[in-house]
Amino acid sequence: MTLTNPVDTTALEQLLPADQVLRDAESLERYRHDDAEWAESHLPLAVVLARSTEDVVATVRWAASNGVRVVPRGAGTGLSGGANAVEHSVVVSMELMDAVLEVNTDERYAVTQPGVINDALRARVAEDGLWYPPDPASSAISTIGGNVATNAGGICCVKYGVTRDYVLGLTVVLADGSVVELGRRTAKGVAGYDLTALMVGSEGTLGIVTSVTVKLLPLAGRDERAVIGYFPSLSAAGDAVAAISRAGIIPAALEIVDRTCLRAVDDWMHLGLPSEVDTLLLARIDERGAAGDDIADHVAGVFADAGGTDVERATDPDEIDRLFQARRLAYPALERLGPVLTEDICVPRSAVPEMLRRIQATAAANDVTIANIAHAGDGNLHPLIIAPEGDTAAKARAKAAFDRIVADCLDLGGTVTGEHGVGLLKLPGLREELGERVIAMHRSVKDALDPAGTLNPGKAF
């Protein structure tokens, strides 16, 4: 795209209500980047607070006709720079499009605007005895639209799948301002290419999602219990994860939280977490009755055989929630210690122990602190590299560690992102993973749908 300057963004106020167009310096800075402060960003020319599909259409058409780029944004909780403003762009925030439009109990689906918070959708459909399974650790603050953009996973996706597995249909504004309805509301359907699945995970580079139809499951029928194991080392916990996989057990969740994360969370929230343990491994089993008890017993045995100590069973919902809250709060707790560079690698489950060992070796080699949390049941690891505020040398060492972890992940047959998206931070690793021919295929799709490069250029591939 040829960039033209200057652009009169006051024209947006003729297309939209004035209070939906932000041009003051404080707002432009606030919407400059998502939580990936390590990635490049630019001040946007303006921020549009969309309230409807029509608002998005008007903005995209104006941008296309003025040679301006458009960066869609949800809650700004992304960790890869996917919502970072690029040069000569307007940011279109979907945060005000926060209505659940329909819940169909007979067909078990919901239609939601993109700005609905994940937990708010889950609470709303629970009123009708239904359940939306995808549950990223940021479920209390991230939006459905952002989850769709990155194909977010979460704590229970080891058993129940990721966002794409629940998206039935989408309303999408394309780069020329046209609006398309993709997908279906039936239980089955294979008409044409699966363009709905293509849009999920495309990070706003192919279209801007303005409504989402999601599949729901019955809320009843699950009987939750947890197995808790404390391990003397991170790699021992990794051995237990690999053993669970080899045993053919599919828990509803299997999460690792290391001592750095446990201490950071407890110092912040005072949850009474154990301070003397090295690594906590949490399994959730939700089969009902005796079958669930048998699986929990099997998991506890595997934990013990892998070196777990003080292996415990928990059935009290409050206790289970408290332990999993520690997992969900790990990232914001660590942010209090300094800027966090977040990894999102995924390796084969059998490679989890080796990958964890390599992460620890990388921390030592680069003299950086790396905390570890993981959706370990599906091999999705989140090493969190901490650099003290203002320490330029530590930041450079953190970036070197980040790159080493990506290289080790690929060496073990993994992928550079399991759920956070490519954004800007993972572009070099993605090119290494996919190769030039596959990158060219991505580029062909982008060129077909957005030949002028209007939508979130430079992201995702």
Side-chain angles (χ1 to χ4, degrees):
M1 176 190 292
T2 301
L3 303 182
T4 58
N5 275 304
V7 172
D8 182 12
T9 56
T10 61
L12 283 169
E13 296 175 358
Q14 295 172 20
L15 300 172
L16 302 162
D19 63 351
Q20 290 178 231
V21 181
L22 308 179
R23 296 189 294 120
D24 62 285
E26 181 180 350
S27 294
L28 298 185
E29 184 61 40
R30 186 166 72 251
Y31 287 87
R32 176 176 185 147
H33 58 73
D34 59 21
D35 278 349
E37 297 181 48
W38 294 69
E40 181 183 4
S41 65
H42 297 263
L43 280 179
L45 302 174
V47 177
V48 172
L49 305 177
R51 291 185 178 275
S52 66
T53 298
E54 291 72 26
D55 290 346
V56 178
V57 168
T59 304
V60 170
R61 287 179 175 169
W62 172 86
S65 66
N66 285 277
V68 172
R69 298 154 161 179
V70 179
V71 178
R73 175 186 169 105
T77 61
L79 296 170
S80 64
N84 285 17
V86 299
E87 186 181 3
H88 207 71
S89 69
V90 294
V91 170
V92 178
S93 170
M94 316 302 284
E95 64 195 285
L96 300 182
M97 296 183 67
D98 59 357
V100 178
L101 303 174
E102 179 186 357
V103 178
N104 189 309
T105 56
D106 291 337
E107 300 298 332
R108 293 206 294 268
Y109 68 77
V111 183
T112 174
Q113 290 184 313
V116 172
I117 297 295
N118 184 292
D119 277 356
L121 174 63
R122 189 174 289 108
R124 169 62 189 87
V125 301
E127 296 173 9
D128 292 299
L130 297 169
W131 178 42
Y132 177 64
D135 66 335
S138 61
S139 61
I141 55 174
S142 63
T143 63
I144 295 298
N147 293 172
V148 168
T150 60
N151 191 24
I155 289 174
C156 75
C157 66
V158 58
K159 180 175 181 180
Y160 289 100
V162 297
T163 300
R164 181 179 284 122
D165 298 310
Y166 293 87
V167 176
L168 294 173
L170 300 167
T171 303
V172 181
V173 178
L174 299 178
D176 62 358
S178 58
V179 180
V180 293
E181 299 289 341
L182 302 178
R184 55 188 166 78
R185 296 188 180 183
T186 54
K188 294 173 66 178
V190 294
Y193 293 141
D194 193 349
L195 299 179
T196 305
L198 176 64
M199 287 290 171
V200 179
S202 64
E203 302 185 46
T205 61
L206 303 180
I208 301 177
V209 172
T210 59
S211 81
V212 186
T213 301
V214 295
K215 176 175 66 175
L216 305 172
L217 299 181
L219 183 59
R222 293 175 299 123
D223 184 10
E224 291 193 341
R225 61 204 37 89
V227 179
I228 306 131
Y230 302 112
F231 287 81
S233 68
L234 193 60
S235 59
D239 290 336
V241 171
I244 291 287
S245 179
R246 283 195 302 271
I249 300 170
I250 305 177
L254 187 59
E255 298 288 310
I256 282 177
V257 188
D258 79 356
R259 61 185 172 192
T260 304
C261 296
L262 288 170
R263 290 169 186 168
V265 170
D266 212 47
D267 287 346
W268 179 32
M269 300 300 291
H270 308 293
L271 297 177
L273 300 171
S275 59
E276 70 284 357
V277 304
D278 186 277
T279 303
L280 172 66
L281 188 56
L282 290 169
R284 178 182 279 162
I285 295 94
D286 63 0
E287 278 79 7
R288 300 188 74 175
D293 290 335
D294 288 346
I295 295 171
D297 288 342
H298 196 170
V299 169
V302 171
F303 281 13
D305 290 344
T309 60
D310 298 319
V311 177
E312 303 172 10
R313 290 270 302 273
T315 56
D316 178 69
D318 291 338
E319 175 67 5
I320 294 171
D321 287 345
R322 183 179 72 90
L323 290 168
F324 276 91
Q325 185 183 19
R327 164 62 183 86
R328 293 183 185 277
L329 292 174
Y331 181 80
L334 289 167
E335 278 191 310
R336 299 170 69 247
L337 306 180
V340 178
L341 181 55
T342 305
E343 278 282 15
D344 171 42
I345 56 169
C346 194
V347 297
R349 287 180 285 259
S350 60
V352 167
E354 175 61 18
M355 189 66 229
L356 290 173
R357 283 189 280 271
R358 292 192 188 193
I359 290 167
Q360 291 183 302
T362 294
N366 291 278
D367 189 24
V368 292
T369 297
I370 301 182
N372 287 274
I373 51 178
H375 306 308
D378 51 19
N380 191 186
L381 311 182
H382 296 310
L384 307 170
I385 310 169
I386 305 165
E389 189 75 51
D391 189 333
T392 303
K395 190 170 183 178
R397 295 196 306 274
K399 183 60 172 64
F402 182 94
D403 293 341
R404 179 71 258 167
I405 290 169
V406 170
D408 282 338
C409 163
L410 294 177
D411 182 58
L412 293 173
T415 181
V416 299
T417 176
E419 60 184 8
H420 293 171
V422 174
L424 292 168
L425 286 177
K426 291 300 183 74
L427 287 173
L430 181 82
R431 290 176 181 133
E432 179 69 21
E433 177 181 340
L434 298 185
E436 285 306 313
R437 185 65 188 94
V438 176
I439 290 291
M441 292 172 67
H442 282 67
R443 190 170 295 112
S444 295
V445 174
K446 171 71 170 174
D447 289 345
L449 294 177
D450 183 15
T454 299
L455 300 179
N456 216 10
K459 313 283 183 65
F461 71 90

